[in-house]
């Protein structure tokens, strides 16, 4: 099964020119030409580094990062290209994890603020009741 991270990274959305620097993760779909994480946790390997590199270029563009990276023009061995692609993949993965954390934190903060408001309201009511009871004494 694919993780939310892979859902984020395997996008075949043609709207790569969107001006939104952080597209909603729910709009992303698995990319058909790129495999999932390997058993060793790596995204690219020597047999799929070309399609993984192309996918990363479109992802970098979609999120407003400079590019594209010309993987073929770089004077790197296939192993170095695999390392570079995996490093970019991990950076994008971290970006997605950070975005998810921020969203979850924002939801929790809104709930805590609502709970605080309700607690303050109850405290005010309790203080008012206490004042009335003390007045009756």
């Amino acid at each position: 099964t694919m993780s939310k991270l892979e859902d984020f990274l395997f996008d075949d959305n043609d709207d790569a020119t969107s001006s939104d620097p952080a597209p909603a993760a729910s709009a992303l779909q698995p990319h058909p030409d790129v495999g999932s994480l390997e058993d060793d946790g790596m995204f690219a390997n020597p047999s799929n580094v070309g399609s993984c590199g192309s996918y990363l270029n479109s992802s970098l563009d979609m999120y407003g990062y400079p590019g594209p990276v010309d993987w073929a023009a770089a004077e790197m061995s296939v192993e170095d290209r695999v390392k570079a692609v995996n490093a970019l993949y991990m950076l994008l993965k971290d970006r997605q994890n950070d975005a998810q954390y921020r969203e979850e934190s924002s939801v929790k903060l809104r709930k805590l603020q609502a709970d605080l408001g309700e607690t303050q309201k109850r405290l005010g009511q309790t203080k008012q009741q206490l004042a009335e009871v003390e007045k009756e004494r």
Side-chain angles (χ1 to χ4, degrees):
T1 63
M2 294 187 59
S3 68
K4 288 181 182 179
L5 161 67
E6 290 171 306
D7 290 341
F8 159 71
L9 289 169
F10 298 101
D11 174 29
D12 64 350
N13 184 355
D14 291 333
D15 189 21
T17 58
S18 171
S19 61
D20 183 5
S26 62
L28 301 173
Q29 299 298 319
H31 190 283
D33 298 329
V34 181
S36 61
L37 291 176
E38 299 296 318
D39 292 334
D40 60 1
M42 293 293 109
F43 172 65
N45 61 50
S47 67
N48 71 357
V49 70
S51 59
C52 289
S54 296
Y55 175 73
L56 285 176
N57 276 334
S58 65
S59 295
L60 290 169
D61 181 56
M62 180 173 64
Y63 288 102
Y65 292 109
V69 176
D70 188 355
W71 302 102
E75 294 183 18
M76 291 190 257
S77 67
V78 171
E79 290 79 18
D80 286 341
R81 285 187 190 130
V82 168
K83 288 177 188 177
V85 166
N86 283 326
L88 282 174
Y89 175 82
M90 291 166 63
L91 289 170
L92 288 172
K93 172 180 159 182
D94 288 346
R95 182 186 189 284
Q96 175 64 15
N97 289 339
D98 290 346
Q100 288 173 332
Y101 177 78
R102 283 190 308 272
E103 179 60 29
E104 290 168 3
S105 296
S106 178
V107 168
K108 288 178 184 177
L109 178 61
R110 286 191 298 272
K111 183 181 181 329
L112 288 171
Q113 288 171 332
D115 290 349
L116 177 61
E118 182 62 30
T119 301
Q120 288 173 332
K121 178 181 172 185
R122 286 183 186 172
L123 177 61
Q125 291 170 345
T126 303
K127 283 181 178 181
Q128 184 179 6
Q129 289 172 351
L130 178 60
E132 290 173 10
V133 167
E134 287 178 350
K135 196 185 225 185
E136 291 175 3
R137 285 181 162 182

